[in-house]
C-alpha cells in the first residue's frame, strides 16, 4: 500500500529562472548525499486519493446547528469548507432533558420527556430543524442514535457525559421510538434524501462513561448488542435495508469496559454471540466501523494508547477475519485532547503551526492505510460560523484539491537537518485535467522545535502537454503564511493574559470561547480583522521549463511547515500500473493455490498481500498483461525468523502469454520489518525483452509455512528507456540533465591538452562540490579527467554517484583507471572505468574534488555512458575448471552463484602449476561484450586472459591483462559470439603467485 506545507519568504521555489537554464542555486536541485529529498514518479499512479476530512462533529446540535445556522447563506460551507460533506450529530436521540438531575440539555425527543405514563408523545421537531440546516448547506447528516431516553430506563443514571448510562427496560418500545423517528424524517425530507444519510449507534459503545448497565461488563455488552440489533431493525423497517448505511463507534484507541471486537463477532454472526437479538437470525447489518483517536498532548500519545494505524487495524483485522471485507473505517472523534498546559482543548486542535504539519501527515497516513475519514470538532475560532480559519482547515482545503487524483508512488531519502524532524508528503495526478498535486510537510512531535528543512522534491517522468513548460502554483502554511497564531501569542502576552485568564487551554483554537473575561473577548474581536488577514492563504505562481522528463522543486520548509503545489499542463511519460494486492482485479490470471492475506497489516506495513494456501510442490503464480512492458518491480515479504534462507521468486516474460522465458536480470534491496522478524525484499527487473506483453511471478515451493513468502506491491511499466549511449565531449550542456552553477567551459590550450573544450571549476573555495548529472540507464561509465600534475602532483579523484530517481544518490567505489602523460608531461590524462552500475540506475552524477590551488585543475574532458543488457549469461551456465582446491571448500560452480563479493567464496586452484582455467558453458552461442571479474581483496589475479570458444578454437576477447591489482574489474570489448567463456590465470597475486582465485564471473551483452 502501499499505499505522505513549507515555509519560505518571497522566493522559496528557487526555480523560475534556474530551472530554465538547469543551474540550481546553492546546488539544491539535486539532493546532496545527506540532504532530505522526496521523489515522486508521475508514471506510477495508484489508488484514488480520498477526502479524509469529509466529516465534522456536533457534540450537541443545539449549539451550532439551530439558531446560529439559521439564515446562513446556502453556500457557506461550499465556499469556506468545501471538504466537509457530512455532519455527525452525537447523542442526537436521547439520554438527557433539562430538569432531570445532572442534565443541562434537552436530547429526549418527546413533548414531555418526564412523563413516564406516555411513552409515545414523540416530538422530533428540534432535531428536524437542525437537520434542515445541515441539508440546506448541501451536507449529509450522520445521526447517532444516542443514549436511551430517560423515561425508557427503569433506573436512569446520568454519567459524566450528561447521558443516561442505562439500557431500555423494553427493547421493543425503543425499537418503536427509532422507527417513528425514521418515519418522521422520511415524511419531512423524502426517502430519496434520507437514504443518502448515515446512521450510527452510540458514541464509544464500550466506554462506561457513555453506557453501563450497572451490573457487569458482560451484561452491559449484551445490552448494547440488543440496542444495536433493535435499532438496525427499526431503521431497516422504515428506510429499507438496501437504503441504509449504519455502523457503530468504539473507543479502541484505549481499552474499554469490554472488548469491542466481540461486537464485530456479533454483527458478523460468528460464535455464540452471533445471533441477532431482534430477528433470531445470525448477524446484523454493518456498513462501517469507527473509533476515537486522541493524542494526550501535541506530540504525546495517550498513555497505553494505540497508534492511528493500530487503532483502525484492530477493527479491520477482526472484521476481515470474520468475512466483513467491504466495510468503511473512520475516526469519529479525536486529534489532541489537551494543550501543553494540560488543560482541555475546546475543539481538540491547536492553532499553532504544529497542527498544520500534523494534519498533513495524517492526510498522507490515512490515504496510505485506506482510512476513510477523521471527523473534526471545529474549523475556526468560532468553531463553524465566522471567525478566523484554523491552519488545520487550510490543510483540509488544500488536501481537498487532490481528491480524485491517482496517488503517486513516492519515497523519502537522505537525512534531515534535525533528526527528529519528519519530512514526507503525498502526490497525486489527474490525467483528465493534466494537473499534478503535492503536499509536503516538515513535522516534529516537539511543538517547540524551530529547525527548518529544505528538501528537494523531484517529479520524474513528467512532460508538458504543450510547449516546454508547466505552471507551478504554490501555497504555504507555517508561522508566517496562513496563520494568525504567532501574532495573537504576542498580543496576549502584551495584554498580560495569564493561564488564569482562560477557561480552556490557552492553546485552543477557539480563542474567544476560551477567554473568561468579556473585556479580553472584546480585545480579541477588536483585532479579529487583522487576524483574518494574517490567516489568509495566498498562492504564488510561476512558469517552469521541464527538461529530461524531470522537475525538481526546493522549497524552504519552516518548522512545522507545509507546502502545497498545483502543477498544470503536465502529462506522464509512460504508464506504470501499481497492484497493491487488495484484490485480483489488476492481474491477468493467478493460480488457484493463492489467497489474499489482510491480517497483520500494521506489522508488515501493507494492508493486503498474496500468499500460498499450502506448501505443495506445484508452483503458484500470478500473471500480468501489460503490453510493451519495459520494467517490473515487486515487493516480497519473507518471514526470515522462521526461514532465514530466502527462496526467491522467479520471473518470466512472454510476448503472448503462452511462451515463457525466464528473466534473471534482476536486483534487490532488503529492509528488516516487524521488529526484524520479517524481511522486505524489493526486486527490480530492468530492461525487459522487447515485445514483452506478459509477466509471470512464480512463488517458491515447499518451506515451513504457506504464509511465507508473500507478494506485497507489484509495479509494471512501459516508461521508455534512457538507453542510448551518451558521449559528452564537453562542448556545451546539451547532453547533461543538470549541472551546478560553479562550472565553466575552458576552450584554451586545446592543442596542448588534446581537447578543444573541457569543463572546470570557477573557484576552489566551494563548500559543496561542483557536479554534472546525466539522465541515463547506464551500465558502465568511462570518464576522462585532465590534471595539472606539474602544479599539483597529488591527484584528487572525481567521485561517481548513481540514483534510480535523481534524488537518492549512492556513491560508486569500484572504479579503475589508466594514466598517460600529456602536454610534455606537465599534465596527466586519467581515464576512469566504472562497470556494473546498480540495477535500476537512471541517473549518473560526476562530482569534482574540492579545494586545491588551481581552479583549472582538474578538468572534465569526456564522459561516456554505456548501456548494456542486464541479463547475466553466466547465471545459467555450467561451470567447470582445470583444477580446484576442493579440500578448502572451493568449487567451480561458485563462480556464477550470484555471490559477487570479494570475500572467501568461489573457485581457487590448489597450487598445481599455472596456467589453470575456469570456464562457463552457456549451452548455446551467446553474443557478449562485457565481463565482470570478482576475486578476494588482496588476492587479485595479476596476469590472465579472457577467451571465448568460437566453435572450433579458443579466441582472446581482448589482449592479455598483466599487472592487475583490482579485486573487481570490468572488461569491455567489441562484441563476440561464443558458446563458452573462460578465464586463464597465468600468475596469481604477489602474496601467492602460484594460486588463482575467482569469486564470481558475470557476462553481459551490448
Amino acid at each position: 500500500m502501499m499505499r505522505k506545507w513549507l515555509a519560505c519568504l518571497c522566493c522559496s521555489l528557487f526555480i523560475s529562472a534556474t530551472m530554465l537554464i538547469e543551474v540550481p542555486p546553492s546546488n539544491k536541485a539535486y539532493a546532496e548525499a545527506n540532504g532530505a529529498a522526496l521523489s515522486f514518479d508521475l508514471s506510477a499512479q495508484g489508488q484514488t486519493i480520498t477526502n479524509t476530512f469529509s466529516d465534522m462533529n456536533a457534540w450537541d446540535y443545539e449549539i451550532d446547528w439551530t439558531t446560529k445556522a439559521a439564515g446562513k447563506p446556502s453556500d457557506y460551507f461550499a465556499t469556506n469548507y468545501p471538504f466537509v460533506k457530512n455532519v455527525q450529530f452525537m447523542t442526537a436521540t436521547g439520554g438527557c432533558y433539562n430538569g432531570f438531575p445532572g442534565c443541562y440539555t434537552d436530547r429526549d425527543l418527546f413533548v414531555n420527556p418526564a412523563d413516564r405514563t406516555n411513552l409515545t408523545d414523540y416530538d422530533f421537531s428540534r432535531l428536524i430543524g437542525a437537520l434542515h440546516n445541515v441539508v440546506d448547506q448541501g451536507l449529509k447528516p450522520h445521526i447517532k442514535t444516542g443514549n436511551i431516553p430517560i423515561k425508557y430506563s427503569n433506573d436512569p443514571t446520568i454519567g459524566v457525559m450528561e447521558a443516561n448510562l442505562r439500557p431500555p427496560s423494553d427493547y421493543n418500545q425503543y425499537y418503536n421510538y427509532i422507527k417513528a423517528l425514521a418515519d418522521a424524517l422520511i415524511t419531512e425530507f423524502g426517502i430519496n434524501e434520507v437514504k443518502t444519510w448515515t446512521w450510527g449507534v452510540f458514541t464509544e459503545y464500550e466506554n462506561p462513561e457513555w453506557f453501563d448497565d450497572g451490573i457487569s461488563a458482560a451484561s452491559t455488552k449484551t445490552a448494547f448488542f440488543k440496542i444495536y440489533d433493535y435499532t438496525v431493525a427499526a431503521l431497516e423497517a422504515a428506510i429499507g435495508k438496501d437504503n441504509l448505511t449504519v455502523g457503530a463507534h468504539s473507543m479502541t484507541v484505549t481499552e474499554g469496559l469490554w472488548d469491542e471486537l466481540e461486537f464485530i463477532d456479533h454483527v458478523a454472526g460468528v460464535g455464540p454471540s452471533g445471533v441477532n437479538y431482534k430477528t433470531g437470525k445470525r448477524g446484523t447489518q454493518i456498513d462501517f466501523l469507527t473509533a476515537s483517536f486522541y493524542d494526550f498532548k501535541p506530540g504525546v500519545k495517550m498513555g497505553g494508547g494505540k497508534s492511528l494505524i493500530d487503532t483502525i487495524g484492530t477493527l479491520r483485522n477482526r472484521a476481515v477475519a470474520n468475512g466483513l471485507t467491504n466495510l468503511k473505517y473512520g475516526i469519529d472523534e479525536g486529534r489532541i485532547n489537551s494543550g501543553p498546559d494540560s488543560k482541555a482543548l475546546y475543539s481538540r486542535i491547536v492553532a499553532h503551526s504544529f497542527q498544520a504539519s500534523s494534519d498533513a501527515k495524517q492526510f498522507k497516513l490515512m490515504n496510505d492505510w485506506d482510512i476513510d475519514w477523521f471527523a473534526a470538532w471545529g474549523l475556526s475560532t468560532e468553531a463553524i460560523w465566522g471567525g478566523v480559519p484554523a491552519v488545520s482547515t487550510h490543510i483540509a482545503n488544500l488536501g481537498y484539491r487532490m481528491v480524485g487524483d491517482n496517488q503517486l508512488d513516492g519515497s523519502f531519502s537522505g537525512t534531515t537537518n534535525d533528526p527528529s524532524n519528519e519530512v514526507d508528503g503525498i502526490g497525486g495526478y489527474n490525467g483528465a485535467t493534466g494537473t499534478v498535486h503535492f503536499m509536503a510537510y516538515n513535522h516534529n512531535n516537539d511543538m517547540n522545535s524551530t529547525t527548518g528543512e529544505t528538501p528537494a522534491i523531484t517529479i520524474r517522468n513528467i512532460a508538458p502537454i504543450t510547449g516546454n513548460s508547466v505552471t507551478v502554483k504554490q501555497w504555504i502554511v507555517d508561522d508566517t503564511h496562513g496563520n494568525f497564531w504567532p501574532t495573537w501569542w504576542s498580543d496576549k502576552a502584551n495584554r498580560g493574559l495569564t493561564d488564569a485568564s482562560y477557561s480552556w487551554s490557552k492553546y485552543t483554537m477557539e480563542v474567544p470561547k476560551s477567554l473568561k473575561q468579556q473585556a479580553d473577548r472584546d480585545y480579541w474581536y477588536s483585532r479579529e480583522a487583522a487576524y483574518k488577514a494574517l490567516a489568509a492563504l495566498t498562492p504564488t505562481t510561476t512558469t517552469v521549463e521541464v527538461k529530461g522528463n524531470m522537475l525538481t522543486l526546493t522549497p524552504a520548509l519552516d518548522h512545522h511547515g507545509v507546502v502545497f503545489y498545483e502543477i498544470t499542463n503536465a502529462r506522464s511519460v509512460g504508464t506504470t500500473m501499481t497492484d497493491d494486492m487488495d484484490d485480483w482485479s489488476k492481474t491477468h490470471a493467478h493460480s488457484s493455490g493463492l489467497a489474499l492475506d489482510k491480517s497483520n497489516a500494521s506489522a508488515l506495513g501493507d494492508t493486503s498481500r498474496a500468499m500460498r494456501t499450502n506448501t505443495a510442490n506445484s508452483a503458484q503464480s500470478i500473471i500480468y498483461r501489460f503490453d510493451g512492458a519495459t520494467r517490473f518491480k515487486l515487493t516480497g515479504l519473507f518471514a526470515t525468523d522462521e526461514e532465514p534462507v530466502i527462496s526467491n521468486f522467479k520471473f518470466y516474460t512472454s510476448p503472448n502469454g503462452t511462451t515463457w522465458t525466464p528473466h534473471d536480470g534482476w536486483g534487490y534491496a532488503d529492509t528488516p520489518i516487524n521488529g526484524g522478524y520479517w524481511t522486505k525484499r524489493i526486486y527490480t527487473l530492468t530492461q525487459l525483452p522487447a515485445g514483452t506483453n506478459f509477466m509471470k511471478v512464480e512463488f517458491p515451493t515447499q518451506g515451513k509455512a504457506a504464509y511465507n513468502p508473500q507478494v506485497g506491491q507489484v509495479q509494471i511499466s512501459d516508461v521508455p528507456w534512457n538507453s542510448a549511449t551518451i558521449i559528452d565531449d564537453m562542448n556545451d550542456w546539451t547532453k547533461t540533465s543538470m549541472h551546478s552553477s560553479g562550472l565553466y567551459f575552458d576552450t584554451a590550450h586545446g592543442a596542448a591538452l588534446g581537447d578543444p573544450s573541457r569543463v572546470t571549476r570557477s573557484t576552489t573555495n566551494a563548500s559543496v562540490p561542483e557536479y554534472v548529472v546525466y539522465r541515463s540507464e547506464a551500465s558502465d561509465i568511462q570518464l576522462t579527467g585532465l590534471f595539472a600534475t606539474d602544479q599539483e602532483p597529488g591527484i584528487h579523484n572525481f567521485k561517481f554517484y548513481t540514483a534510480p530517481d535523481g534524488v537518492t544518490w549512492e556513491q560508486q567505489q569500484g572504479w579503475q583507471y589508466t594514466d598517460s602523460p600529456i602536454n610534455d608531461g606537465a599534465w596527466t590524462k586519467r581515464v576512469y572505468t566504472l562497470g556494473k552500475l546498480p540495477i535500476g540506475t537512471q541517473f549518473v552524477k560526476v562530482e569534482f574534488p574540492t579545494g586545491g590551488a588551481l581552479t583549472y585543475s582538474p578538468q572534465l574532458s569526456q564522459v561516456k555512458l554505456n548501456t548494456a543488457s542486464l541479463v547475466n549469461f553466466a547465471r545459467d551456465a555450467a561451470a567447470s575448471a582445470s583444477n580446484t582446491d576442493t579440500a578448502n571448500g572451493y568449487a567451480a560452480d561458485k563462480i556464477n552463484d550470484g555471490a559477487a563479493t570479494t570475500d572467501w567464496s568461489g573457485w581457487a586452484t590448489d597450487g598445481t602449476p599455472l596456467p589453470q582455467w575456469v570456464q562457463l558453458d552457456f549451452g548455446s552461442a551467446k553474443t557478449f561484450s562485457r565481463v565482470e571479474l570478482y576475486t578476494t581483496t588482496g588476492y587479485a589475479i595479476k596476469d590472465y586472459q579472457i577467451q571465448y570458444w568460437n566453435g572450433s578454437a579458443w579466441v582472446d576477447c581482448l589482449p592479455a591483462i598483466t599487472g592487475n591489482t583490482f579485486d573487481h574489474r570490468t572488461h569491455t570489448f567489441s562484441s563476440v559470439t561464443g558458446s563458452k567463456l573462460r578465464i586463464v590465470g597465468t600468475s596469481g597475486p604477489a602474496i601467492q603467485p602460484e594460486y588463482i582465485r575467482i569469486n564470481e564471473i558475470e557476462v553481459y551483452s551490448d
Side-chain angles (χ1 to χ4, degrees):
M1 315 295 300
M2 289 326 191
R3 309 341 327 74
K4 282 157 220 40
W5 323 75
L6 307 180
C8 87
L9 296 178
C10 60
C11 59
S12 67
L13 210 61
F14 291 135
I15 54 174
S16 59
T18 60
M19 288 300 291
L20 294 177
I21 59 174
E22 300 281 307
V23 183
S26 303
N27 295 330
K28 290 177 180 175
Y30 280 79
E32 298 303 326
N34 296 320
L38 296 173
S39 174
F40 296 92
D41 185 351
L42 193 56
S43 79
Q45 301 168 29
Q47 63 187 12
T48 302
I49 294 175
T50 61
N51 181 16
T52 66
F53 300 112
S54 60
D55 284 46
M56 75 167 302
N57 274 322
W59 164 262
D60 185 335
Y61 61 81
E62 302 253 19
I63 297 174
D64 289 307
W65 287 97
T66 52
T67 57
K68 287 184 181 180
K72 291 295 188 295
S74 60
D75 63 349
Y76 185 87
F77 264 73
T79 300
N80 295 282
Y81 317 123
F83 54 90
V84 175
K85 303 300 179 184
N86 309 302
V87 179
Q88 299 191 11
F89 282 0
M90 302 176 70
T91 61
T93 61
C96 242
Y97 66 85
N98 271 314
F100 191 85
C103 285
Y104 304 96
T105 185
D106 286 316
R107 298 197 189 108
D108 293 355
L109 303 176
F110 301 97
V111 174
N112 184 354
D115 183 5
R116 287 179 169 269
T117 65
N118 186 352
L119 301 181
T120 59
D121 60 331
Y122 309 129
D123 180 6
F124 304 122
S125 59
R126 287 180 294 109
L127 176 59
I128 286 174
L131 291 171
H132 266 297
N133 287 329
V134 171
V135 173
D136 288 349
Q137 287 294 326
L139 307 175
K140 299 299 180 183
H142 176 141
I143 302 172
K144 289 196 173 175
T145 56
N147 296 65
I148 307 306
I150 298 291
K151 66 183 181 181
Y152 280 178
S153 295
N154 284 335
D155 59 341
T157 302
I158 303 303
V160 297
M161 304 293 187
E162 287 187 42
N164 178 22
L165 299 177
R166 301 300 187 240
S169 54
D170 184 337
Y171 288 92
N172 283 313
Q173 188 64 60
Y174 185 69
Y175 168 97
N176 292 335
Y177 175 63
I178 297 299
K179 184 175 184 302
L181 169 62
D183 287 338
L185 297 180
I186 292 170
T187 298
E188 181 72 20
F189 294 94
I191 185 61
N192 288 334
E193 173 63 30
V194 173
K195 73 181 183 181
T196 66
W197 299 1
T198 303
W199 298 78
V201 182
F202 267 74
T203 296
E204 296 183 344
Y205 55 73
E206 85 282 35
N207 184 349
E209 294 181 348
W210 276 110
F211 185 65
D212 184 351
D213 73 353
I215 301 172
S216 69
S219 57
T220 300
K221 174 184 65 178
T222 299
F224 176 71
F225 290 175
K226 290 180 179 179
I227 291 171
Y228 185 85
D229 292 347
Y230 278 76
T231 300
V232 172
L235 295 172
E236 288 178 343
I239 301 171
K241 183 173 183 178
D242 293 340
N243 296 332
L244 178 64
T245 301
V246 65
H249 170 189
S250 61
M251 285 196 299
T252 304
V253 65
T254 55
E255 296 304 317
L257 179 65
W258 50 277
D259 187 353
E260 74 275 20
L261 300 183
E262 294 184 62
F263 168 70
I264 301 175
D265 296 341
H266 171 71
V267 294
V270 172
S273 65
V275 176
N276 186 302
Y277 284 94
K278 174 62 174 172
T279 67
K281 299 178 181 179
R282 287 209 161 262
T284 313
Q285 182 176 346
I286 184 87
D287 299 293
F288 63 84
L289 292 167
T290 62
S292 297
F293 179 77
Y294 286 99
D295 282 334
F296 177 51
K297 295 180 182 180
V300 180
K301 286 180 60 177
M302 281 284 187
K306 298 181 179 69
S307 68
L308 175 60
I309 293 172
D310 285 337
T311 297
I312 293 298
T314 298
L315 301 175
R316 197 194 313 259
N317 286 346
R318 188 62 154 253
V320 169
N322 285 335
L324 302 174
T325 57
N326 296 312
L327 302 187
K328 290 185 176 295
Y329 297 88
I331 299 296
D332 272 359
E333 62 167 292
R335 278 188 174 79
I336 307 170
N337 190 68
S338 304
D341 55 2
S342 298
K343 294 174 71 174
L345 293 163
Y346 185 85
S347 282
R348 301 322 195 237
I349 59 172
V350 295
H352 187 280
S353 55
F354 175 94
Q355 196 70 58
S357 60
S358 178
D359 278 21
K361 175 180 177 179
Q362 177 185 297
F363 180 62
K364 178 187 185 311
L365 193 69
M366 294 182 69
N367 272 284
D368 284 348
W369 287 88
D370 296 327
I371 303 172
D372 294 286
W373 66 82
F374 197 128
W377 285 108
L379 303 170
S380 75
T381 54
E382 297 294 338
I384 300 175
W385 310 106
V388 184
V391 290
S392 58
T393 299
H394 289 331
I395 301 308
N397 269 320
L398 291 170
Y400 186 61
R401 301 177 80 94
M402 302 182 74
V403 173
D405 288 1
N406 292 325
Q407 188 169 344
L408 300 179
D409 186 39
S411 62
F412 170 83
S413 63
T415 57
T416 53
N417 295 329
D418 181 343
S420 61
N421 282 346
E422 177 186 344
V423 173
D424 211 336
I426 180 172
Y429 179 62
N430 185 326
T433 62
T435 304
V436 185
H437 291 113
F438 293 99
M439 181 185 289
Y441 58 84
N442 171 25
H443 180 69
N444 194 302
N445 279 333
D446 182 357
M447 202 163 147
N448 295 316
S449 171
T450 59
T451 307
E453 303 287 345
T454 308
I457 303 175
T458 297
I459 307 110
R460 294 176 287 127
N461 297 315
I462 181 174
I465 296 173
T466 60
N468 59 4
S469 300
V470 295
T471 300
V472 179
K473 186 180 287 189
Q474 179 196 55
W475 291 260
I476 298 169
V477 183
D478 59 18
D479 276 359
T480 56
H481 298 82
N483 193 353
F484 74 93
W485 187 253
T487 300
W488 162 250
W489 202 247
S490 175
D491 287 352
K492 68 98 179 173
N494 293 335
R495 186 168 173 79
L497 298 182
T498 66
D499 288 1
S501 303
Y502 298 85
S503 55
W504 294 83
S505 170
K506 64 184 177 184
Y507 295 90
T508 201
M509 174 65 195
E510 291 82 359
V511 176
K513 290 180 180 293
S514 65
L515 292 170
K516 291 181 179 179
Q517 301 299 320
Q518 184 61 45
D520 293 333
R521 292 194 288 273
D522 290 343
Y523 173 75
W524 162 270
Y525 288 119
S526 74
R527 296 277 291 138
E528 189 179 63
Y531 299 142
K532 285 183 177 179
L534 290 166
L537 203 56
T538 305
T540 59
T541 303
T542 188
T543 300
V544 183
E545 184 178 1
V546 177
K547 183 179 178 184
N549 298 334
M550 187 172 71
L551 178 66
T552 298
L553 309 172
T554 54
L557 277 162
D558 198 2
H559 71 87
H560 303 103
V562 180
V563 69
F564 188 85
Y565 288 112
E566 186 171 85
I567 304 171
T568 53
N569 191 40
R571 66 178 177 85
S572 169
V573 178
T575 301
T576 300
M577 186 276 289
T578 300
D579 186 358
D580 288 316
M581 288 296 169
D582 297 325
D583 52 37
W584 298 111
S585 63
K586 294 185 178 179
T587 63
H588 178 71
H590 66 89
S591 53
S592 59
L594 294 176
L596 296 176
D597 183 0
K598 296 179 182 286
S599 64
N600 305 308
S602 60
L604 298 182
D606 192 330
T607 56
S608 182
R609 294 87 54 201
M611 68 173 208
R612 301 173 298 169
T613 57
N614 59 68
T615 60
N617 284 322
S618 58
Q620 304 299 317
S621 62
I622 302 171
I623 296 174
Y624 292 92
R625 177 164 187 172
F626 195 93
D627 291 353
T630 56
R631 58 194 85 205
F632 187 84
K633 186 164 74 172
L634 179 143
T635 299
L637 305 174
F638 297 84
T640 39
D641 64 329
E642 294 287 334
E643 296 183 79
V645 177
I646 289 178
S647 297
N648 284 301
F649 294 91
K650 294 181 180 180
F651 305 96
Y652 301 84
T653 65
S654 174
N656 52 23
T658 303
T659 307
W660 295 100
T661 302
H663 187 79
D664 61 1
W666 48 264
Y668 64 82
D670 286 347
T671 305
I673 58 174
N674 193 23
Y677 289 106
W678 284 65
T679 296
K680 177 167 70 173
R681 174 165 288 184
I682 298 180
Y683 297 84
T684 301
L685 282 72
T686 55
Q687 292 191 330
L688 301 182
T692 294
N693 297 323
F694 295 84
M695 282 292 307
K696 179 165 67 173
V697 179
E698 188 176 273
F699 283 69
T701 58
Q702 297 301 308
K704 292 183 179 180
Y707 61 76
N708 179 47
Q710 301 195 2
V711 171
Q713 186 188 82
V714 171
Q715 289 185 336
I716 185 168
S717 173
D718 64 359
V719 173
W721 287 97
N722 310 306
S723 56
T725 295
I726 295 175
I727 301 177
D728 189 354
D729 288 318
M730 293 299 165
N731 298 322
D732 52 38
W733 295 119
T734 58
K735 295 184 178 179
T736 62
S737 179
M738 185 71 73
H739 63 88
S740 55
S741 58
L743 296 175
Y744 73 95
F745 292 103
D746 184 356
T747 56
H749 312 295
L753 297 182
D755 189 334
S757 179
R758 297 88 53 201
V759 167
T760 190
R761 303 170 296 167
S762 60
T763 178
T764 63
N765 297 320
S767 59
V768 178
E770 307 294 344
Y771 59 82
V772 292
V773 174
Y774 297 89
R775 181 157 195 180
S776 171
E777 303 193 54
S779 57
D780 60 86
I781 305 171
Q782 189 176 62
L783 180 145
T784 301
L786 307 180
F787 297 83
T789 42
D790 63 335
Q791 299 293 318
E792 292 185 275
I795 289 179
H796 298 283
N797 286 300
F798 290 89
K799 293 181 180 179
F800 305 91
Y801 298 84
T802 63
D805 52 13
V807 175
T808 314
W809 295 103
E810 178 183 359
Q811 187 174 356
Q812 302 300 314
Q813 303 282 6
W815 44 266
Q816 309 102 43
Y817 63 83
T818 56
D819 286 345
S820 57
I822 58 174
N823 193 21
D824 297 327
W827 283 66
T828 297
K829 179 168 72 172
R830 175 164 288 186
V831 179
Y832 298 83
T833 301
L834 177 63
K836 203 193 176 208
L837 300 183
I839 288 177
T841 292
Q842 295 193 51
F843 296 85
V844 175
K845 178 166 66 172
V846 177
E847 187 178 274
F848 282 71
T850 57
L854 309 171
T855 59
Y856 59 79
S857 177
Q859 301 200 358
L860 193 54
S861 176
Q862 185 190 75
V863 176
K864 182 178 181 181
L865 302 171
N866 299 306
T867 57
S869 168
L870 293 178
V871 176
N872 176 13
F873 295 138
R875 189 168 286 181
D876 295 321
S880 59
S882 60
N883 172 262
T884 302
D885 181 8
T886 56
N888 288 305
Y890 293 99
D893 59 11
K894 290 184 178 181
I895 65 167
N896 61 342
D897 62 358
T901 61
T902 55
D903 59 12
W904 295 85
S905 66
W907 165 80
T909 61
D910 62 4
T912 300
L914 302 179
Q916 299 293 337
W917 52 261
V918 63
Q919 76 173 20
L920 295 166
D921 186 341
F922 306 126
S924 61
K926 305 290 183 185
T927 300
F928 49 92
S929 59
R930 178 159 64 99
V931 172
E932 302 284 344
L933 183 64
Y934 297 82
T935 188
T936 301
T937 301
Y939 293 86
I941 312 173
K942 180 182 177 184
D943 304 320
Y944 57 97
Q945 295 167 278
I946 301 177
Q947 300 177 331
Y948 70 98
W949 181 255
N950 67 2
S952 58
W954 288 102
V955 181
D956 289 341
C957 294
L958 70 172
I961 291 85
T962 59
N964 174 59
T965 59
F966 295 106
D967 53 38
H968 168 214
R969 187 154 178 174
T970 300
H971 307 84
T972 58
F973 41 86
S974 299
S975 294
V976 300
T977 301
S979 60
K980 300 176 186 178
L981 176 135
R982 73 177 183 179
I983 307 295
V984 181
T986 55
S987 178
I991 190 172
Q992 287 182 333
E994 69 275 19
Y995 291 91
I996 302 295
R997 288 180 176 83
I998 295 177
N999 288 349
E1000 189 79 6
I1001 301 173
E1002 296 174 348
V1003 183
Y1004 298 97
S1005 70
D1006 288 331

